[in-house]
Amino acid sequence: MHFTAQGDIGVDDGATKVLDTIAGLRPQLNLALGDFTYKAGIEQRFCDMVKGKLGQEFPYQVVTGNHESDGHDGDIDNIVRCLPNKLPGIQGNYGTQWYADFPEKDPIVRFVMVSPGIDFKDGKPLDYSKDSERWRWTVDAIDGAAAAKIPWTVVGMHTPCLSMGRYQCQAGKDFTNMLMAKKVDLVLSGHEHHYQRTHQLGTGASCPDLVPQAFSASCLADTDASMVRGAGTVFATAGTGGRALRDVQAKDSEARYFAAVSGKNRNPALGTLDVMATADRLSARFVPAEGYSFTDAFTIERR
């Protein structure tokens, strides 16, 4: 199967360039990782832009970002109405917390989309704390993929934990460590307006917990671009869907976890993550939009 993923989109020229890039790649679906309109009341304009570039029936699958979760710069409910779910067999609350297997028959990937670390309309974040209802829902979705022998599990959410940008671990330390302990293959996010991709990270005897705002070499499971499934988790942020890029911080305490980085001050590029998956191999690359040249590529294989 073939999918693309990016967040932080907007409705300006950058967004249309990235949508053109996605259209040229011809994926089977796209994961939109939050922050869509950046302005209230123009959700239909955003949806029309997407449909105009990708087609009325294309599965442009959304999970909320912080700009539309609480309604102040758009409303996720309006986005869901004009860009509804197109995947069969979806479970959960589309737009906020859902999972789906693709293809429906003999699935290759389970997508688990969640919303930790951002405020909703009551001014409070959803509860993804340890052993909460949403934590258990996420664990069950991940465990269910393993029980069904689905080759790959991809988790998507707006907020990253590790970052060389302006934000700290909004997704939550415990939640992030749970994803690593479950050996989720790939975790996707937006929020930071740049691209950043970690090495494969893993917890175990030498790395009992990953600690945000610090670095531990013992948490590095694999540091080249060819990785083995089950050794750890790759975290990729693609907040490059169209909005203006931001700087990356070269001296960030977490910098040594990252294998590839692009931002306003370092190899700037709008674009999308492009992922191909078979039963035995997951291959991903960053594809820049027109006018940009930065690229990145990595693979994870089953052995």
Side-chain angles (χ1 to χ4, degrees), residues 138-150:
T138 308
V139 168
D140 289 346
I142 295 168
D143 288 347
K149 301 188 184 306
I150 298 172

Side-chain angles (χ1 to χ4, degrees), residues 72-92:
H72 74 281
D73 284 331
D75 191 320
I76 186 59
D77 292 338
N78 292 336
I79 294 291
V80 165
R81 276 192 286 271
C82 58
L83 287 171
N85 168 59
K86 300 290 186 179
L87 299 184
I90 192 171
Q91 301 292 318

Side-chain angles (χ1 to χ4, degrees), residues 2-3 9 16 86 100 115 127 136 143 146 161 187-188 211 218 227-228 243 248 255 265-266 273 289:
H2 179 199
F3 70 94
I9 299 156
T16 59
K86 300 290 186 179
S115 297
D127 184 6
R136 293 193 301 272
D143 288 347
C161 178
V187 177
L188 303 173
V211 179
S218 61
M227 294 163 271
V228 177
R243 290 292 284 185
V248 294
N265 60 339
R266 182 173 173 179
L273 194 67

Side-chain angles (χ1 to χ4, degrees), residues 5-6 20 38 61 91 101 131 160 168 179 193 208 225 262 267 270 290 292:
Q6 70 299 128
D20 283 339
Y38 290 85
Q61 300 294 123
Q91 301 292 318
D101 301 334
D131 294 326
Q168 296 184 358
L179 298 177
H193 292 193
S262 162
N267 301 316
L270 296 175
E290 182 182 1
Y292 301 97

Side-chain angles (χ1 to χ4, degrees), residues 6-8 18 192-195 238-242 245 269-272 286:
Q6 70 299 128
D8 306 275
V18 175
E192 296 283 17
H193 292 193
H194 54 246
Y195 175 80
T240 52
L245 297 168
L270 296 175
T272 183
F286 181 84

